[in-house]
């Protein structure tokens, strides 16, 4: 089995290119059959809400909704920082089906003793 990958994203649609690159890294790992997790903090927590991840960052870039769909199709999930999510007073009922509120304890449990390759955006 390929090693685990964790993509940590703290930027939202205020920087669509950074979001696109993070999703490309996540999709690449997921479609390479790596156990993959995206941890979302700060403004990125909004991307775990249905209908928020939208737009195209640049000419020739993959649309963010297409990357989100590919990540979902690969069966991967999002861990969303509950402190960041709750500070923004967002509703849990709007979370994507493959997203869950989970803090660093759950993140470390998922990584486990074998470790993971990490990317931070």
């Amino acid at each position: 089995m390929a090693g685990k990958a964790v993509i940590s994203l703290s930027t939202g649609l205020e920087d669509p290119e950074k979001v696109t690159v993070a999703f490309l890294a996540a999709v690449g790992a997921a479609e390479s059959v790596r156990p993959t997790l995206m941890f979302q903090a700060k403004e990125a927590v909004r991307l775990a809400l249905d209908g928020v991840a939208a737009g195209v960052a640049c000419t020739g870039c993959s649309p963010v909704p297409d990357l989100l769909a590919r990540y979902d199709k690969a069966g991967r999930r999002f861990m969303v920082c509950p402190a960041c999510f709750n500070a923004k007073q967002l509703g849990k009922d709007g979370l994507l089906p493959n997203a869950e509120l989970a803090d660093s304890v759950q993140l470390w449990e998922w990584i486990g003793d074998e470790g993971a390759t990490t990317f931070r955006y």
Side-chain angles (χ1 to χ4, degrees):
M1 174 185 287
K4 293 179 177 180
V6 175
I7 292 78
S8 179
L9 178 63
S10 60
T11 302
L13 292 176
E14 71 278 7
D15 190 342
E17 288 179 285
K18 188 178 278 191
V19 169
T20 298
V21 171
F23 271 93
L24 285 169
V27 166
E31 290 179 348
S32 296
V33 196
R34 288 183 180 276
T36 305
L37 178 76
M38 184 175 276
F39 184 78
Q40 296 165 305
K42 297 176 70 177
E43 282 301 312
V45 300
R46 297 178 193 279
L47 299 171
L49 294 170
D50 190 34
V52 172
V56 179
C58 59
T59 302
C61 289
S62 298
V64 175
D66 292 356
L67 295 171
L68 190 71
R70 287 173 57 192
Y71 187 75
D72 182 50
K73 184 178 178 185
R76 301 310 184 249
R77 61 189 239 219
F78 300 101
M79 280 189 181
V80 181
C81 173
C84 301
F85 190 86
N86 293 331
K88 291 167 182 36
Q89 300 178 359
L90 302 172
K92 289 191 291 187
D93 56 329
L95 281 171
L96 296 169
N98 59 337
E100 65 180 306
L101 297 183
D103 60 26
S104 59
V105 172
Q106 288 86 11
L107 176 61
W108 281 109
E109 289 172 352
W110 185 85
I111 291 171
D113 292 337
E114 66 273 8
T117 300
T118 61
F119 297 85
R120 184 174 153 256
Y121 298 95

